[in-house]
Amino acid sequence: MPKPPWKSKLKGVRTRRATHAISDTYDQILAVAEQEFANSGYNGTSLEVIARRTGIRKASLFHHFKNKRKIFDEVVRRIFDQFVSIGRETAAIENPKEHLLAIIVRLHDFIASHPNHARLLMHRVLEDPASVRSSSEVFIKPLVIAMAQLVIRGAEMGIIRNGDSPVGLTLVALAIPILAYSFAPVFEACTGMEVLSPDSIAGIRVEVLRRADLLLSP
């Protein structure tokens, strides 16, 4: 005997709600985990804390992730994906120097609005350099190579410093907007300024652009 049409529709609504709830929980786990990993590093972060702050039981974590490493890897993958998108957003800028400065400023704005990312990556470099090297080969190196090509083209045009290592120059340029936020406690201790206050972010942004321009200029 066929099911009444209303039952089929109700089943579809329940399925969509269940899927939406699973997606929400998945994203909440990653948001909480990102903050915990940024504050405490990989080794100092516990699944119990992630579960409690997400509002679920620890056992429920394993419906979404096999273990802590899988949670961490997904958090880092999302960060790298967003880094890579910065290069795509500036692709239409033809002048090599302006293109590079736009990437650096966008990187600053991204890090300033996601301060956990810089701290988390610093933890990861110290705790698991081999894994950072592997991930960087996949996610970061293509952006660095593309920027190094801009350095070469700009040097040929006489608008960018003609140095021995375009890749080295690129890496130094990328470090400029990251340092103030990854070393926020040191910055605050030395300057007396709260790094993430609107005035401080605006000032750091101006300084990042100025220093990047000086670094790249012939």
Side-chain angles (χ1 to χ4, degrees):
M1 183 176 180
K3 293 182 180 179
W6 64 268
K7 285 195 173 182
S8 297
K9 291 180 180 179
L10 182 59
K11 182 179 179 182
V13 170
R14 287 174 176 168
T15 300
R16 286 194 296 273
R17 285 178 179 170
T19 302
H20 186 65
I22 290 171
S23 177
D24 285 349
T25 302
Y26 183 89
D27 290 336
Q28 288 170 11
I29 291 169
L30 292 176
V32 169
E34 177 188 302
Q35 189 171 41
E36 289 299 318
F37 287 132
N39 291 338
S40 305
Y42 179 83
N43 294 329
T45 296
S46 73
L47 292 176
E48 289 85 355
V49 172
I50 293 174
R52 184 172 67 250
R53 289 195 53 208
T54 304
I56 61 176
R57 293 180 298 108
K58 179 181 175 182
S60 298
L61 283 176
F62 301 113
H63 292 303
H64 302 275
F65 299 96
K66 183 185 295 185
N67 50 43
K68 184 168 77 168
R69 172 58 63 180
K70 293 297 183 183
I71 299 175
F72 186 78
D73 287 345
E74 180 61 15
V75 168
V76 172
R77 186 193 66 77
R78 285 189 169 194
I79 294 173
F80 281 147
D81 280 349
Q82 293 172 73
F83 278 177
V84 171
S85 71
I86 291 171
R88 292 195 293 267
E89 293 168 3
T90 59
I93 301 175
E94 294 184 2
N95 181 289
K97 185 177 179 183
E98 292 177 3
H99 192 166
L100 288 167
L101 291 175
I103 291 174
I104 293 165
V105 167
R106 278 172 170 77
L107 179 60
H108 166 272
D109 294 346
F110 172 73
I111 293 171
S113 60
H114 300 81
N116 285 336
H117 292 2
R119 296 199 303 272
L120 189 152
L121 292 174
M122 287 298 294
H123 274 300
R124 193 172 190 228
V125 167
L126 294 172
E127 293 177 341
D128 192 2
S131 181
V132 172
R133 188 177 299 111
S134 175
S135 297
S136 297
E137 284 275 352
V138 176
F139 295 103
I140 302 301
K141 187 175 180 179
L143 175 61
V144 170
I145 296 301
M147 290 178 67
Q149 292 297 323
L150 291 172
V151 169
I152 293 170
R153 188 154 63 88
E156 292 171 349
M157 296 168 64
I159 59 175
I160 291 179
R161 181 191 305 273
N162 189 2
D164 294 331
S165 174
V167 170
L169 185 64
T170 295
L171 290 171
V172 172
L174 287 174
I176 291 173
I178 294 174
L179 287 176
Y181 299 98
S182 59
F183 289 95
V186 176
F187 183 95
E188 291 172 347
C190 294
T191 65
M193 297 171 60
E194 182 186 349
V195 167
L196 295 177
S197 70
D199 288 345
S200 181
I201 289 173
I204 291 171
R205 191 180 196 272
V206 170
E207 188 67 11
V208 163
L209 184 58
R210 186 184 74 84
R211 289 184 178 277
D213 185 57
L214 286 172
L215 176 70
L216 295 172
S217 295

